[in-house]
Amino acid sequence: MAIRAIRKDTDEILRKTAKKVEKIDQRIITLLEDMTDTMREAGGVGLAAPQIGVLRRVVVIDVGEGLIEVINPVIVYESGEQMREEGCLSIPGITGIVKRPKKVIVRAQNRKGEIFEIVGEDLLAVALCHEIDHLNGILFTDKAIQINEQGRD
Ligand code: NI
């Protein structure tokens, strides 16, 4: 268990495309656990590996319904739309309104390498889309239709 430093929005790594995980070894398990610790410490609902400087397609999410560990996620279905205020641990002091699907289904692998599907609606759909965007070098500020600055320093 370890807390890792969260990269901020000026860091180029946040703009890179993360690589698929080919083999789920101890390094990936440790990565998942460190990401969860880091997310919880920071009070976030999701964290993607590039945010701690690791260009791998790994995400953790907890929107209050329990921890979800996601490896190599792909959105296989989306429907509807919602507008919700988002923030990001990599962009402190800023929130923005982003249009996202109301519902998504994401196919991914768990830490055992098993393929599973997550059905995400409302906040969980937003979190999945937001974190998967991170794996592709996209930040919510790229998509926000309105940005609110809250004492950014
Ligand atoms: Ni984020």
Side-chain angles (χ1 to χ4, degrees):
M1 296 208 338
I3 308 291
R4 301 214 204 167
I6 296 175
R7 304 296 186 94
K8 297 302 183 328
D9 56 347
T10 50
D11 193 317
E12 277 182 19
I13 201 161
L14 294 174
R15 292 307 192 172
K16 295 190 171 157
T17 300
K19 292 197 190 84
K20 188 177 178 200
V21 174
E22 300 292 348
K23 181 163 175 265
I24 301 170
D25 56 14
Q26 187 55 45
R27 284 177 61 198
I28 296 295
I29 303 298
T30 300
L31 174 63
L32 282 164
E33 291 176 354
D34 288 356
M35 286 172 62
T36 298
D37 291 344
T38 304
M39 171 182 73
R40 295 221 156 113
E41 168 78 9
V45 299
L47 192 74
Q51 292 182 273
I52 58 165
V54 178
L55 281 174
R56 293 283 173 230
R57 302 188 82 79
V58 177
V59 161
V60 294
I61 289 173
D62 189 345
V63 295
E65 299 166 5
L67 178 67
I68 307 173
E69 296 178 337
V70 182
I71 299 168
N72 298 327
V74 178
I75 296 172
V76 294
Y77 172 87
E78 56 180 71
S79 68
E81 63 180 53
Q82 59 177 319
M83 307 275 257
R84 197 181 276 266
E85 187 166 26
E86 295 182 27
C88 180
L89 294 174
S90 292
I91 314 176
I94 285 188
T95 61
I97 307 291
V98 186
K99 187 164 86 176
R100 301 284 193 186
K102 172 95 172 140
K103 178 179 178 180
V104 294
I105 299 175
V106 170
R107 187 174 295 152
Q109 285 169 275
N110 64 19
R111 61 162 66 199
K112 294 177 187 164
E114 298 159 343
I115 292 169
F116 71 113
E117 286 188 347
I118 311 152
V119 179
E121 293 188 70
D122 303 314
L123 179 57
L124 181 55
V126 169
L128 286 162
C129 292
H130 177 119
E131 301 311 331
I132 291 170
D133 275 352
H134 273 300
L135 303 180
N136 297 318
I138 298 165
L139 301 176
F140 83 91
T141 45
D142 300 342
K143 296 183 165 179
I145 56 166
Q146 183 191 322
I147 296 278
N148 302 309
E149 299 206 19
Q150 302 162 332
R152 181 176 168 86
D153 40 53

